[in-house]
Amino acid sequence: MKIAIIGAGLAGLTLAHRLAQHHDATVFEKARGPGGRMSTRRADPYAFDHGAQYFTAESDRFRAFLGDLEAKGLVTRWPEEITLHAEARVSDKSKYVAQPGMNTICKTLAAAVDVRTQIHATGFARGSDGWWIETRTDDRLGPFDWIVSTAPAEQTAALMPADFSGQSDLAKVRMSGCFALMLGFESPLDLPWQALKSGAAPIGWIAVNSGKPDRPEAYSLLIQSANDWADAHIEGPLDEVQQTLLHAASELTGQDLSTASHQVLHRWRYASTPVPAGVPFLFDPAQRLAACGDWCLGSKVEAAFSSASALADEFQSLSKT
């Protein structure tokens, strides 16, 4: 079967990696490279993991997946400790990062499958010969026997036809945004921690990105907003958002962060999932459409992997019937 997969984040690439063993699977990504919310932004001499900061592992399947990557030196444990502020809480499970950047996992998976970047899908059209992908540049790609969307729930709902059987599950999902402020300094700051979790908006998280394993030495700081605060300001002027975060983080750290020589703000519209779909994946065999992603099960990196793995299992079962 020819299968198109929308999105080259962990869910899309995990699915493609599994399906490519028995099918002709192609991944379409609107960005310049793979990674999604596991992306790494580079601005010489700095680097920033501006999406996912770390991940944990609960299932045997995900632990086995990470074990292989850890053996290759692509995954390691970080941070050893997280400083908690204003009643913030974090999991007590072991925490991991990819190295030399969080996008390493996705880049590794992408190297083994067919990934086509800078293709922005805007909808799906069914023809007598199968499904076609409509794009922002008015190109039509196809035909495909199946299309799977791993885009955020709201975007997936917009791509899918109204009679897709998963539309009611998509409508249940609520995702929250986040702002990521990337700061690069000419000399290191005197901070007593590598990572801080805050329970007081607007700050949700601060990390010394250059302190992560195998990162560039140039001192970099990554600040993420609280999700609820981001939702309330998601359409606000970006310069005002940046100044608010800069001021609040300066107060929290006791450092004048406005001295950063590199300052860039990124807006994530879909960063976490307070209300997931509650099912591992969405599957419409009658129309040959499906969807998966972390938003099916939660907000974690492992949720993206688990959702895609479960959908791959369903395709495998379908092939046997």
Side-chain angles (χ1 to χ4, degrees), residues 3 5 14-25 112-114:
I3 303 173
I5 300 170
T14 297
L15 179 63
H17 205 261
R18 286 279 306 278
L19 294 182
Q21 299 172 30
H22 304 288
H23 305 287
D24 180 3
V113 297
D114 184 4

Side-chain angles (χ1 to χ4, degrees), residues 11 31 35 42 47 89 103 113 125 137-138 142 154 164 180-181 202 210 267 272 304:
R42 290 179 171 81
R89 294 183 296 174
N103 65 348
V113 297
T137 55
D138 294 328
E154 184 175 325
F164 170 57
L181 179 57
S210 51
R267 175 174 54 198
S272 67

Side-chain angles (χ1 to χ4, degrees), residues 8-245:
L10 182 60
L13 292 170
T14 297
L15 179 63
H17 205 261
R18 286 279 306 278
L19 294 182
Q21 299 172 30
H22 304 288
H23 305 287
D24 180 3
T26 306
V27 181
F28 297 95
E29 168 58 48
K30 65 182 179 181
R32 290 179 294 176
R37 278 169 284 155
M38 293 185 74
S39 294
T40 298
R41 179 81 62 86
R42 290 179 171 81
D44 190 49
Y46 308 108
F48 304 90
D49 297 320
H50 61 309
Q53 293 300 291
Y54 63 84
F55 47 88
T56 58
E58 295 186 17
S59 68
D60 290 341
R61 197 176 208 174
F62 191 52
R63 283 198 292 266
F65 173 73
L66 294 183
D68 291 340
L69 295 171
E70 196 170 8
K72 297 175 182 177
L74 302 179
V75 166
T76 190
R77 296 194 180 193
W78 184 93
E80 294 183 4
E81 185 177 355
I82 297 174
T83 295
L84 301 179
H85 171 74
E87 301 182 352
R89 294 183 296 174
V90 294
S91 167
D92 59 1
K93 298 179 177 65
S94 296
K95 298 165 182 63
Y96 301 86
V97 294
Q99 57 182 7
M102 194 63 85
N103 65 348
T104 298
I105 295 176
C106 289
K107 289 176 68 176
T108 300
L109 292 172
V113 297
D114 184 4
V115 179
R116 303 182 189 182
T117 59
Q118 295 184 288
I119 295 177
H120 192 151
T122 57
F124 309 145
R126 186 156 202 171
S128 59
D129 50 356
W131 283 104
W132 291 77
I133 299 173
E134 298 173 336
T135 71
R136 180 169 286 183
T137 55
D138 294 328
D139 294 321
R140 297 179 81 243
L141 308 174
F144 297 97
D145 299 307
W146 279 81
I147 296 182
V148 181
S149 175
T150 69
E154 184 175 325
Q155 295 176 342
T156 292
L159 287 169
M160 292 290 184
D163 58 352
F164 170 57
S165 65
Q167 286 288 10
S168 60
D169 288 307
L170 288 166
K172 300 174 187 175
V173 179
R174 186 172 71 84
M175 301 189 74
S176 288
C178 180
F179 290 99
L181 179 57
M182 294 162 271
L183 303 178
F185 297 84
E186 295 181 1
S187 58
L189 301 178
D190 183 18
L191 295 177
W193 39 259
Q194 288 292 300
L196 179 145
K197 176 69 175 176
S198 173
I203 304 300
W205 169 267
I206 305 177
V208 181
N209 205 95
S210 51
K212 292 181 179 180
D214 199 23
R215 265 56 176 184
E217 292 184 4
Y219 193 90
S220 60
L221 206 64
L222 191 283
I223 300 166
Q224 287 186 334
S225 71
N227 296 119
D228 288 348
W229 187 88
D231 288 343
H233 297 82
I234 202 69
E235 300 296 346
L238 294 183
D239 57 342
E240 292 183 12
V241 170
Q242 179 170 327
Q243 289 307 309
T244 299
L245 293 177

